[in-house]
């Protein structure tokens, strides 16, 4: 009679095989849910219950949230290229603040990370080729030496930054180019399309570009589209003093990535795809694919699809064959940075019908609906900005006013603080459209829009 | 110096300077051409390198993409409904924006049954290409080559609003073609990052090498120099296909060309300047040296004149007192008289020499003037001969005379005396060994002629004009030991010419108005001709009406 035997026999006295089996099943059930150790996937319709009969619009949200607790584990190494604009317009305070902020930011990296510094004016100079971070003194001394120059070869700067990142590119680390610019690209390919194309091609190889615009003179569309096409971040810095905070936030983000290459595939069942909201998606018949790319700890990214549900021909007598299942089969794939492995999460979401409108109202998923209203309101907001750009002030104002109305009506049910604030923003924007300085007003409006977008990131 | 000489020197210097300048310009422009060719060569080779770099990169892109493209295309052609392979090809290749597949008949195949929005956009863009069957045409060139040698794939450039685009096409096994639209932005970014270090080395501070797209905007560039907007490049060259719509251009800093230009101009100007300076300097130097020598000569002459003038008065004094002494010594003091004779003769000789020198000086200054007055030439000849008598007799020479110039005429007595004095003293100095001197005179019309002959050694033919030049004394044997500056004959001639006539050497036979003595085997003869008009008198003199040309001499033979 040895100890092990006696322990085992002791345990087996208290717990039977069934309990163990149940325990295992429980764990097994939880596993798919919490197997996304780094992320949590939630999918659902805004109106999971619809009125039987007729066609209605519905919204399917698939959200991926990075889990906070994961930030305690060893963080994922990063491979970052910092691309700084040192054209003539950056001369003085701007460049000094940028350099100081850059020094601060790279000091947060250590030997696990790769860093490179690229500076451009007419020409591009690789100040620090891709190297292991950790020697803060060396990095800061090279950064301090950067002086102002001539034109703005933004495209080339991004290209070189990407080349430096490529040297140590690894799907198990975060590969990113961070661009800081205050002006218009005027040397080399300089159109929004060129930069957006470059961004799309970079994201295919796992490199994202974050675009940080400084001041009032940079080309917003260009910077934004560059970031968007490559799935990076975009930020507007009003003054040089904002650089440090923004760069800090950006570094905070890349140091907190829990998953990357996140992709969502949805197979719609019994409903028709209309469009994707707020994010580019690929539609092929009933198959929808969207890219979420990086998932940050403590933040959620989502895809919102507008679909048309055909709930059959009106009220039916009992016994009539109901329309087939309606909803979507969702598959989320990503790479978990903690384990380095690919993760697949599947969800099945269905819509049911009811004959009572009260039932519809009760079934509304407020969380999803709030996002829907936000996105739709954002679309209107941006349309108003475009109209005002064309000088059609009155039409722009009308849109903002009706937008505010739409928001407040929706909010009576949803009661969301975010929406309330959005409503107020629309109201105040409607009254500032006449401002003589449309340029700065526009920047402010776009910043607001961008803040909303950040929530979508 | 004579103005003509001055002009000649100046012109010569000018011509030489012009020739040098022309040569200099030739050399400079030749060097400029060579420098330009050198730069052209350097720049061309760099552009060719850049071109090679880009072409090599495209080749490697083609190599790496073609297998995947072929596989994806084949799958799409085979009709995979999910379109997985085709879509995956596009999604995983940063350089590829879309894939177009056509079978042999030109029917377009979509990846999967339901094209996505992006794919529809892509088909929109490439619609023209799809419809026109251009890709199929690439595959099957018209000249109907043997199937085996048909190209397996290649590049198809196409032009859109935004410029040049590239499609990589590949022949699909079993027929059909697959084309991949290349992301030009990504391609350009890759070009920009191509081996930047060595490319930068290839372009120095003075150059900027750029690649320009089809709209002439720069895609990328290397080099330290920033050309001004709108400057034309030094050299432009289209890239190799399929990028022929793009160009490689090189801007050269004007400093480079200018610096050389400047240094060339500077060195050229320096050389020219120095040469001109040298030329004109030498011309000036020659001019001044010449003037200096002339000045010195003039000074010497002036000195001599001055000295001679100073000598005159003491000499006159000596003569005066000699004559006075002559009057006061006793008649029977023949010795004393002899000595006085000698003193007198020598004084006279000195006076003659001084007169000659002074005359010469006047001649140099063009200050000679004749003052004719009425004289009978023969009388003047006789008195001169008297002066020379003792000297001649001492040498054993008795002058033979044939004097037929009895008419009084207007003549400068001093000049005539001086001329005769020169001729006679020459006889004394050079021809006394002949033991003979003959003087004949005659008058013809307005002219008086005097011939002086001797039986001395004579004058060689070649020297007969030379002896009339100042300072010329014949050397060979004749003049040894004889004194004299060699100015006598030049003075005598000048005086004779001034008198409207001349002095010449030789016998002139019947042409002259004198009856010469018979010549001897050797000897010299000098003929003086003076223009001596009749004096202005109221009563007509028979002689003055004598027609010209007639021989007035008597008929006596001598």
């Amino acid at each position: 009679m040895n100890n092990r035997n006696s322990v085992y026999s002791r345990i087996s006295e208290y717990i039977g095989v069934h309990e163990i089996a149940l325990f295992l099943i429980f764990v097994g059930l939880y596993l798919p849910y919490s197997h996304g150790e780094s992320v949590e996937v939630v999918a659902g319709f805004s109106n999971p219950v619809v009125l039987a009969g007729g066609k209605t619009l519905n919204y399917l949200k698939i959200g991926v949230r990075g889990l906070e607790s994961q930030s305690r584990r060893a963080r994922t190494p990063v491979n970052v290229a910092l691309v700084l604009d040192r054209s003539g317009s950056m001369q003085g305070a701007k460049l000094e603040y940028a350099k100081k902020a850059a020094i601060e930011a790279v000091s947060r990296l250590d030997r696990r990370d790769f860093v490179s510094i690229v500076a451009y004016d007419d020409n591009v100079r690789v100040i620090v080729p891709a190297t292991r971070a950790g020697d803060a003194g060396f990095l800061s001394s090279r950064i301090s030496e950067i002086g102002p120059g001539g034109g703005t070869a933004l495209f080339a700067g991004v290209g070189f930054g990407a080349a430096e990142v490529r040297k140590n590119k690894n799907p198990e680390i975060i590969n990113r180019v961070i661009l800081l610019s205050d002006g218009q690209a005027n040397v080399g390919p300089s159109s929004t399309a060129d930069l957006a194309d470059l961004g799309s091609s970079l994201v295919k190889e796992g490199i994202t570009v974050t675009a940080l615009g400084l001041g009032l003179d940079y080309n917003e569309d260009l910077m934004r589209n560059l970031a968007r096409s490559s799935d990076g971040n975009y930020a507007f810095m009003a003054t040089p003093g904002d650089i440090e905070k923004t760069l800090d936030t950006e570094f905070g983000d890349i140091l907190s990535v829990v998953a990357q290459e996140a992709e969502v595939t949805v197979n719609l069942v019994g409903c028709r795809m209309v469009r994707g909201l707020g994010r580019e998606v690929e539609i092929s018949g009933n198959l929808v694919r969207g890219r979420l790319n990086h998932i940050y700890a403590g933040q959620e990214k989502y895809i919102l699809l507008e679909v048309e549900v055909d709930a059959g021909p009106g009220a039916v007598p009992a016994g009539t064959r109901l329309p087939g299942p309606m909803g979507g089969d969702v598959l989320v794939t990503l790479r978990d940075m903690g384990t380095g492995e690919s993760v697949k999460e599947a969800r099945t979401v269905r819509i049911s019908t009811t004959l009572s409108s009260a039932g519809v109202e009760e079934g509304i998923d407020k969380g999803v609906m709030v996002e829907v209203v936000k996105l739709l309101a954002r679309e209107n907001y941006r349309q108003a900005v475009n109209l005002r750009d064309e000088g059609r002030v009155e039409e722009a104002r009308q849109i903002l006013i009706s937008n505010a109305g739409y928001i407040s009506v929706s909010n009576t049910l949803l009661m969301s603080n975010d929406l309330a604030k959005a409503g107020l923003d629309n109201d105040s924007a409607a009254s500032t459209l006449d401002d003589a300085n449309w340029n700065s007003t526009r920047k402010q409006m776009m910043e607001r829009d961008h803040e909303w977008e950040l929530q979508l990131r | 110096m004579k103005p003509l000489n001055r002009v000649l020197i100046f012109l010569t210097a000018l011509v030489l300077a012009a020739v040098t300048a022309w040569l200099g310009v030739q050399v400079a422009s030749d060097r400029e051409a060579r420098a330009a060719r050198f730069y052209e060569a350097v720049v061309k080779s760099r552009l060719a390198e850049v071109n090679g770099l880009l072409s090599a990169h495209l080749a490697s892109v083609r190599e790496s993409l073609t297998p995947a493209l072929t596989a994806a295309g084949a799958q799409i052609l085979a009709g995979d409904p999910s379109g997985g392979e085709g879509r995956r090809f596009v999604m995983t290749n940063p350089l590829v924006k879309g894939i177009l597949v056509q079978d042999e008949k030109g029917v377009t195949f979509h990846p999967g049954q339901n094209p996505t929005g992006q794919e529809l956009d892509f088909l929109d863009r490439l619609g023209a290409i799809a419809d026109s069957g251009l890709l199929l045409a690439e595959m099957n060139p018209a000249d109907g080559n043997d199937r085996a040698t048909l190209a397996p794939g290649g590049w198809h450039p196409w032009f859109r609003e935004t410029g040049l685009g590239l499609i990589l096409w590949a022949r699909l096994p079993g027929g059909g073609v697959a084309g991949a639209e290349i992301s030009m932005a990504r391609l350009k970014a890759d070009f920009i990052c191509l081996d930047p270090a060595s490319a930068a080395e290839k372009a120095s501070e003075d150059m900027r090498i750029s690649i320009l797209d089809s709209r002439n905007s720069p895609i990328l560039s290397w080099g330290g120099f920033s050309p001004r907007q709108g400057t034309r490049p030094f050299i432009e060259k289209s890239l190799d296909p399929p990028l022929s719509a793009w160009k490689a251009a090189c801007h050269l800093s004007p400093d480079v060309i200018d610096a050389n230009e400047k240094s060339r101009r500077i060195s050229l100007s320096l050389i020219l300047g120095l040469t001109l300076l040298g030329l004109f300097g030498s011309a000036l130097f020659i001019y001044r040296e010449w003037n200096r020598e002339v000045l010195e000569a003039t000074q010497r002459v002036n000195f001599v004149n001055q000295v001679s003038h100073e000598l005159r008065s003491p000499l006159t004094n000596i003569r005066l007192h000699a004559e006075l002494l002559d009057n006061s010594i006793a008649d029977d003091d023949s010795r004393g008289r002899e000595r006085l004779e000698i003193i007198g003769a020598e004084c006279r000789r000195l006076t003659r020499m001084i007169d000659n020198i002074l005359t010469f000086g006047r001649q140099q200054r063009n200050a000679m003037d004749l003052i004719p007055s009425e004289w009978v030439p023969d009388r003047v000849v006789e008195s001169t001969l008297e002066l020379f008598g003792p000297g001649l007799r001492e040498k054993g020479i008795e002058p033979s005379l044939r004097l037929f110039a009895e008419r009084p005429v207007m003549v400068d007595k001093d000049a005539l005396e001086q001329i005769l004095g020169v001729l006679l003293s020459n006889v004394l100095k050079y021809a006394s060994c002949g033991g003979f001197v003959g003087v004949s005179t005659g008058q013809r019309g307005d002219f008086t002629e005097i011939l002086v002959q001797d039986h001395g050694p004579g004058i060689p033919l070649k020297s007969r004009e030379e002896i009339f030049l100042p300072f010329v004394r014949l050397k060979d044997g004749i003049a040894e030991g004889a004194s004299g500056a060699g100015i006598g004959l030049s003075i005598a001639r000048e005086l004779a010419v001034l008198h409207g006539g001349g002095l010449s050497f030789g016998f002139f036979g019947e042409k002259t108005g004198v009856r010469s003595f018979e010549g001897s085997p050797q000897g010299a003869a000098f003929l003086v001709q003076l223009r001596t008009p009749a004096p202005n008198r109221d009563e007509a003199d028979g002689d003055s009406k004598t027609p010209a040309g007639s021989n007035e001499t008597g008929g006596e033979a001598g």
Side-chain angles (χ1 to χ4, degrees):
Chain A
M1 175 149 60
N2 60 36
N3 279 346
R4 220 182 71 188
N5 263 339
S6 73
V7 170
Y8 197 69
S9 58
R10 200 68 63 85
I11 291 174
S12 62
E13 276 179 73
Y14 294 110
I15 304 176
V17 174
H18 306 286
E19 283 87 332
I20 294 176
L22 268 174
F23 176 67
L24 283 174
I25 289 170
F26 245 118
V27 168
L29 275 178
Y30 259 110
L31 235 35
Y33 194 71
S34 60
H35 178 39
E37 292 165 14
S38 43
V39 300
E40 181 191 25
V41 176
V42 175
F45 279 91
S46 60
N47 294 18
V49 184
V50 299
L51 211 52
K55 295 184 184 169
T56 50
L57 282 181
N58 216 326
Y59 298 90
L60 173 59
K61 172 175 175 246
I62 304 109
V64 181
R65 170 182 292 277
L67 294 178
E68 204 66 78
S69 58
Q70 296 312 313
S71 56
R72 264 189 274 121
R73 63 166 169 75
R75 66 160 172 85
T76 315
V78 303
N79 172 14
V80 65
L82 201 47
V83 178
L84 297 176
D85 180 338
R86 66 178 190 102
S87 60
S89 53
M90 287 286 285
Q91 190 169 22
K94 284 182 186 171
L95 192 58
E96 291 313 307
Y97 274 106
K99 282 154 60 172
K100 186 158 159 299
I103 293 173
E104 278 296 317
V106 301
S107 67
R108 294 174 65 173
L109 304 174
D110 56 38
R111 283 205 51 81
R112 290 171 286 182
D113 310 306
F114 295 98
V115 67
S116 56
I117 315 279
V118 171
Y120 69 86
D121 60 338
D122 284 287
N123 293 324
V124 184
R125 256 190 347 133
V126 180
I127 309 284
V128 176
T131 180
R132 283 209 177 268
D135 188 350
F138 167 71
L139 291 172
S140 70
S141 77
R142 297 311 301 272
I143 292 174
S144 324
E145 285 166 8
I146 299 175
T152 310
L154 193 146
F155 186 90
V158 173
F160 268 77
E164 293 300 313
V165 167
R166 213 168 279 132
K167 288 180 186 174
N168 295 299
K169 188 167 65 83
N170 185 341
E172 293 181 22
I173 61 180
I174 316 297
N175 307 286
R176 179 167 297 195
V177 175
I178 301 176
L179 167 69
L180 198 156
S181 170
D182 77 327
Q184 312 275 344
N186 57 23
V187 176
S190 307
S191 70
T192 303
D194 288 326
L195 270 304
D197 263 4
L198 181 59
S200 335
S201 99
L202 287 176
V203 79
K204 284 186 189 175
E205 43 173 346
I207 300 177
T208 54
V209 181
T210 286
L212 309 175
L214 172 63
L216 293 179
D217 295 327
Y218 67 88
N219 184 339
E220 223 179 303
D221 286 339
L222 189 145
M223 298 278 274
R224 206 185 235 191
N225 276 298
L226 170 60
R228 186 176 285 158
S229 64
S230 74
D231 238 23
N233 297 328
Y234 161 71
F236 158 56
M237 301 171 285
T239 70
D242 292 336
I243 300 178
E244 184 157 347
K245 180 165 64 83
T246 309
L247 210 48
D248 208 44
T249 309
E250 172 66 14
F251 267 74
D253 276 354
I254 58 177
L255 291 172
S256 72
V257 170
V258 298
Q260 62 178 0
E261 295 167 31
E263 269 186 32
V264 175
T265 315
V266 181
N267 197 4
L268 291 173
V269 175
C271 45
R272 185 180 69 80
M273 181 68 183
V274 176
R275 60 184 179 136
L277 287 181
R279 188 182 284 276
E280 292 283 326
V281 293
E282 248 176 54
I283 306 170
S284 169
N286 273 340
L287 201 62
V288 184
R289 195 204 314 273
R291 228 187 172 106
L292 296 179
N293 215 14
H294 288 160
I295 310 293
Y296 304 100
Q299 295 178 26
E300 183 194 48
K301 283 194 180 179
Y302 61 79
I303 287 189
L304 199 60
L305 305 178
E306 188 178 275
V307 301
E308 188 189 66
V309 177
D310 185 353
V316 290
T320 317
R321 194 159 153 269
L322 290 173
M326 295 176 295
D329 296 326
V330 177
L331 180 65
V332 175
T333 61
L334 46 83
R335 184 189 293 279
D336 184 327
M337 302 314 290
T339 61
E341 285 167 11
S342 280
V343 166
K344 283 186 167 45
E345 290 276 342
R347 297 282 181 278
T348 306
V349 208
R350 290 288 176 262
I351 300 173
S352 53
T353 55
T354 178
L355 293 170
S356 88
S357 27
V360 171
E361 207 169 295
E362 276 161 30
I364 287 180
D365 182 337
K366 293 194 177 141
V368 176
M369 206 58 199
V370 165
E371 298 304 321
V372 171
V373 173
K374 273 190 199 168
L375 279 178
L376 290 176
R378 267 190 70 215
E379 279 184 0
N380 294 333
Y381 194 75
R382 290 240 282 283
Q383 196 195 6
V385 170
N386 286 340
L387 284 174
R388 177 59 182 85
D389 275 345
E390 290 169 23
R392 292 149 72 171
V393 182
E394 203 42 51
E395 289 175 54
R397 195 203 310 283
Q398 283 310 316
I399 288 190
L400 288 174
I401 291 174
S402 69
N403 207 22
Y406 163 68
I407 293 173
S408 74
V409 162
S410 311
N411 210 18
T412 49
L413 178 62
L414 302 171
M415 292 184 294
S416 146
N417 285 336
D418 286 344
L419 280 182
K421 187 166 177 306
L424 287 173
D425 286 337
N426 269 273
D427 268 330
S428 64
S431 58
T432 58
L433 280 183
D434 285 336
D435 277 7
N437 193 358
W438 166 238
N439 193 22
S440 89
T441 309
R442 189 190 195 276
K443 283 265 186 325
Q444 280 170 14
M445 285 182 74
M446 292 314 272
E447 188 182 8
R448 199 124 312 129
D449 176 66
H450 180 62
E451 276 169 17
W452 295 340
E453 190 177 8
L454 281 180
Q455 296 163 9
L456 180 66
R457 262 186 330 123
Chain B
M1 182 191 300
K2 287 195 220 147
L4 180 65
N5 289 347
R6 244 182 260 161
V7 169
L8 273 174
I9 289 186
F10 176 74
L11 274 178
T12 312
L14 201 64
V15 164
L16 283 172
V19 167
T20 311
W22 179 81
L23 278 174
V25 166
Q26 288 294 313
V27 166
S29 67
D30 181 51
R31 273 175 59 183
E32 199 175 313
R34 261 187 291 133
R37 273 200 302 276
F38 167 73
Y39 269 106
E40 239 181 72
V42 167
V43 167
K44 276 196 180 145
S45 86
R46 285 197 185 165
L47 291 184
E49 271 174 29
V50 166
N51 188 23
L53 207 62
L54 299 183
S55 296
H57 181 77
L58 268 188
S60 82
V61 163
R62 179 173 152 189
E63 214 180 281
S64 60
L65 274 185
T66 302
L69 173 63
T70 315
Q75 260 239 346
I76 294 176
L77 204 58
D80 173 12
S82 72
E85 192 63 39
R87 289 197 173 122
R88 199 183 339 274
F89 174 68
V90 173
M91 277 182 47
T92 54
N93 267 299
L95 269 170
V96 176
K97 280 175 85 168
I99 181 170
L100 175 69
V101 177
Q102 288 184 311
D103 69 7
E104 282 166 325
K105 300 189 194 57
V107 175
T108 305
F109 282 68
H110 304 298
Q113 276 176 335
N114 295 300
T116 64
Q118 253 189 4
E119 285 162 358
L120 286 173
D121 280 343
F122 167 74
L123 284 174
D124 242 353
R125 278 200 306 278
L126 266 67
I129 299 215
D131 293 340
S132 65
L134 279 173
L135 283 184
L136 286 173
E138 284 272 12
M139 271 213 316
N140 305 312
D143 50 6
N145 278 335
D146 175 25
R147 223 158 197 249
T149 65
L150 286 175
W155 293 103
H156 178 83
W158 60 299
F159 296 93
R160 318 162 290 169
E161 221 176 78
T162 45
L164 173 71
L166 280 180
I167 297 180
L168 177 66
W169 65 270
R171 183 191 304 276
L172 295 175
V177 65
E181 183 193 6
I182 301 293
S183 161
M184 294 313 281
R186 176 50 182 259
L187 191 64
K188 290 174 185 175
D190 287 346
F191 281 157
I192 289 174
C193 300
L194 266 185
D195 206 358
S198 63
E201 273 164 48
K202 287 169 172 121
S204 66
E205 281 297 308
D206 297 325
M207 287 193 210
R208 195 169 187 88
I209 297 185
S210 324
I211 305 293
L212 307 172
D213 68 13
S214 47
R215 286 167 298 171
N216 260 341
S217 8
I219 297 168
L220 62 153
S221 50
W222 304 279
F225 164 61
S226 289
R228 261 206 318 270
Q229 278 284 8
T231 321
R232 284 197 49 90
F234 179 59
I235 291 190
E236 254 181 4
K237 178 179 149 54
S238 285
L239 295 180
D240 287 340
L243 297 172
S244 331
W246 289 0
K247 292 193 278 258
C250 178
H251 284 90
L252 264 189
S253 156
D255 290 343
V256 162
I257 303 172
D258 267 1
N260 286 335
E261 186 76 16
K262 237 180 251 160
S263 80
R264 255 184 271 119
R265 281 216 201 101
I266 287 175
S267 61
L268 181 65
S269 317
L270 262 175
I271 290 176
L272 269 183
L274 282 173
T275 312
L276 278 173
L277 211 65
L279 279 172
F280 281 109
S282 343
L284 200 68
F285 180 71
I286 293 174
Y287 180 72
R288 283 183 48 174
E289 279 303 299
W290 192 283
N291 275 355
R292 198 164 59 80
E293 279 180 15
V294 164
L295 186 68
E296 275 179 12
T298 314
Q299 279 175 340
R300 259 184 257 127
V301 166
N302 286 346
F303 174 68
V304 165
N305 279 347
Q306 201 60 31
V307 164
S308 306
H309 244 293
E310 301 292 314
L311 290 176
R312 243 199 162 159
S313 24
L315 205 50
T316 313
N317 241 358
I318 296 172
R319 274 175 66 179
L320 180 64
H321 284 282
E323 280 165 24
L324 287 176
L325 195 55
D326 191 47
N327 292 339
S328 51
I329 60 166
D331 285 338
D332 55 357
D333 189 357
S334 58
R335 210 73 240 256
R337 279 207 193 238
E338 244 180 74
R339 299 213 193 280
L340 274 177
E341 267 301 321
I342 293 173
I343 290 173
E346 291 300 291
C347 283
R348 283 192 292 276
R349 198 158 77 105
L350 273 172
T351 310
R352 270 202 309 278
M353 274 167 56
I354 290 173
D355 278 345
N356 278 352
I357 289 171
L358 289 176
T359 307
F360 182 72
R362 280 204 299 275
Q363 174 194 19
Q364 288 302 302
R365 290 189 318 253
N366 296 319
M368 296 210 301
D369 279 324
L370 295 179
I371 308 170
S373 46
E374 197 181 324
W375 289 96
V376 175
D378 279 351
R379 300 291 87 80
V380 179
V381 171
E382 280 164 357
S383 65
T384 310
L385 278 168
E386 250 184 60
L387 285 175
F388 277 87
L392 288 168
R393 268 190 291 276
E394 207 183 332
K395 298 273 172 118
I397 301 177
E398 189 62 44
S400 311
L401 301 174
R402 286 186 182 170
L403 303 179
F404 295 101
E406 289 290 339
R407 271 192 290 126
V409 288
M410 298 302 282
V411 65
D412 185 328
K413 172 174 180 277
D414 290 331
L416 182 54
E417 274 179 356
Q418 209 166 355
I419 294 172
L420 280 174
V422 164
L423 295 175
L424 289 173
S425 78
N426 278 354
V427 167
L428 265 179
K429 278 189 271 187
Y430 305 115
S432 47
C433 54
F436 169 81
V437 66
V439 181
S440 331
T441 66
Q443 282 170 317
R444 264 195 318 158
D446 276 349
F447 281 86
T448 303
E449 290 167 340
I450 305 157
L451 183 68
V452 176
Q453 286 170 277
D454 67 61
H455 290 168
I459 313 278
L461 249 161
K462 61 174 164 60
S463 311
R464 283 179 190 178
E465 272 307 310
E466 203 186 18
I467 49 177
F468 292 101
L469 296 173
F471 309 119
V472 173
R473 287 165 50 201
L474 294 182
K475 291 273 170 36
D476 26 84
I478 304 179
E480 290 311 325
S483 57
I487 57 177
L489 282 174
S490 87
I491 291 171
R493 179 174 260 184
E494 186 68 25
L495 285 171
V497 166
L498 263 178
H499 218 295
L503 171 63
S504 45
F505 180 89
F507 296 96
F508 293 94
E510 290 89 48
K511 289 242 178 81
T512 66
V514 298
R515 292 207 43 191
S516 49
F517 293 92
E518 281 106 27
S520 79
Q522 62 181 42
F526 286 86
L527 178 67
V528 185
Q529 288 164 309
L530 301 176
R531 191 166 179 279
T532 50
N536 249 348
R537 271 200 295 224
D538 288 339
E539 57 268 32
D541 193 358
D543 297 319
S544 65
K545 284 205 187 105
T546 313
S550 67
N551 196 339
E552 277 268 331
T553 63
E556 286 182 40

